[in-house]
Amino acid sequence: AQSVAQPEDQVNVAEGNPLTVKCTYSVSGNPYLFWYVQYPNRGLQFLLKYITGDNLVKGSYGFEAEFNKSQTSFHLKKPSALVSDSALYFCAVRTNSGNTPLVFGKGTRLSVIA
Amino acid sequence: SQTIHQWPATLVQPVGSPLSLECTVEGTSNPNLYWYRQAAGRGLQLLFYSVGIGQISSEVPQNLSASRPQDRQFILSSKKLLLSDSGFYLCAWSLSGAKGLINEQFFGPGTRLTVL
């Protein structure tokens, strides 16, 4: 069975500092990994995905994520946080079939403090 | 380009009343469709998904039901709402088949339901 863990409910970071939002996964086959962001009272917005190839994936709004197969992780990173990055972030995984839904983590709330 | 619509945006309903939330997708054919519920701004609970007209998979047993009367239309219903049905309901779509494996799900703007 597929599963995703986001071990931190809340991450606080000062504006201008680097940020990391953690995600680990468990799948039986090759993982296809995704990050989404949700602003208050809005739907989820896609940030980036890892399918194959380079382990470092670059996405929207300056975010990037690093796929680490040995550690089964896909942490989201940004070199310099902005106050506007404050939101709820979800990691998700899919494997096996294109007709099965993504499996989402429980979300991590990021607060960037000015 | 593809777009996904949900309505209404907000809804306040009394306990015991019926519910109908609608989701439509434009610009694609034969999408996979999904209904999620999000409580208290936290995790997503998958309620239903559909890989084709009339095909509904239920993930959580409860007093909600879903229907897909047309290829790009997905409806979430209830005959009698409970207080616990309050939440933020999100519809999503994705490509189907092999393309669906490597492509993301796209989410609608959501419906905020309050049951009083």
Side-chain angles (χ1 to χ4, degrees):
Chain A
Q2 308 166 101
S3 66
V4 171
Q6 293 183 243
E8 302 155 315
D9 286 343
Q10 175 90 34
V11 170
N12 298 319
V13 64
E15 187 176 29
N17 283 2
L19 69 87
T20 299
V21 182
K22 296 180 180 177
C23 171
T24 59
Y25 65 90
S26 174
V27 298
S28 56
N30 290 325
Y32 302 107
L33 295 154
F34 303 80
W35 274 104
Y36 286 81
V37 61
Q38 184 183 31
Y39 298 101
N41 296 309
R42 304 290 294 275
L44 276 67
Q45 296 178 31
F46 168 73
L47 278 179
L48 52 80
K49 63 183 176 184
Y50 171 81
I51 303 302
T52 187
D54 288 342
N55 290 341
L56 185 63
V57 178
K58 294 188 182 296
S60 306
Y61 311 121
F63 284 93
E64 58 189 27
E66 186 169 11
F67 172 65
N68 188 318
K69 188 173 183 178
S70 63
Q71 296 185 9
T72 62
S73 67
F74 189 55
H75 301 331
L76 183 70
K77 300 180 180 183
K78 187 173 183 180
S80 179
L82 301 173
V83 173
S84 57
D85 293 329
S86 300
L88 188 57
Y89 290 81
F90 291 95
C91 182
V93 67
R94 181 193 283 128
T95 187
N96 300 333
S97 166
N99 284 336
T100 54
L102 288 173
V103 174
F104 284 86
K106 62 182 174 65
T108 297
R109 190 166 299 283
L110 172 67
S111 291
V112 181
I113 304 162
Chain B
S1 64
Q2 301 89 3
T3 55
I4 179 169
H5 303 280
Q6 283 187 248
W7 64 90
T10 60
L11 190 59
V12 180
Q13 293 284 96
V15 169
S17 63
L19 173 73
S20 181
L21 302 181
E22 189 163 344
C23 171
T24 59
V25 180
E26 296 176 355
T28 189
S29 297
N30 193 31
N32 294 334
L33 295 171
Y34 313 89
W35 276 113
Y36 291 86
R37 179 169 60 201
Q38 185 178 30
R42 293 306 308 196
L44 300 171
Q45 179 186 34
L46 178 65
L47 301 175
F48 303 94
Y49 71 97
S50 170
V51 300
I53 296 174
Q55 301 178 62
I56 309 293
S57 295
S58 175
E59 294 294 303
V60 183
Q62 53 199 331
N63 69 319
L64 299 173
S65 62
S67 62
R68 185 171 177 173
Q70 300 180 47
D71 181 43
R72 292 169 291 176
Q73 184 185 31
F74 206 23
I75 298 172
L76 183 69
S77 304
S78 174
K79 292 182 179 178
K80 288 186 178 182
L81 283 168
L82 306 173
L83 286 174
S84 57
D85 291 323
S86 293
F88 193 49
Y89 288 81
L90 290 161
C91 181
W93 74 273
S94 69
L95 295 173
S96 58
K99 290 183 179 180
L101 185 61
I102 62 173
N103 280 284
E104 56 271 29
Q105 290 176 193
F106 299 92
F107 284 80
T111 295
R112 173 75 58 191
L113 172 65
T114 303
V115 183
L116 301 174

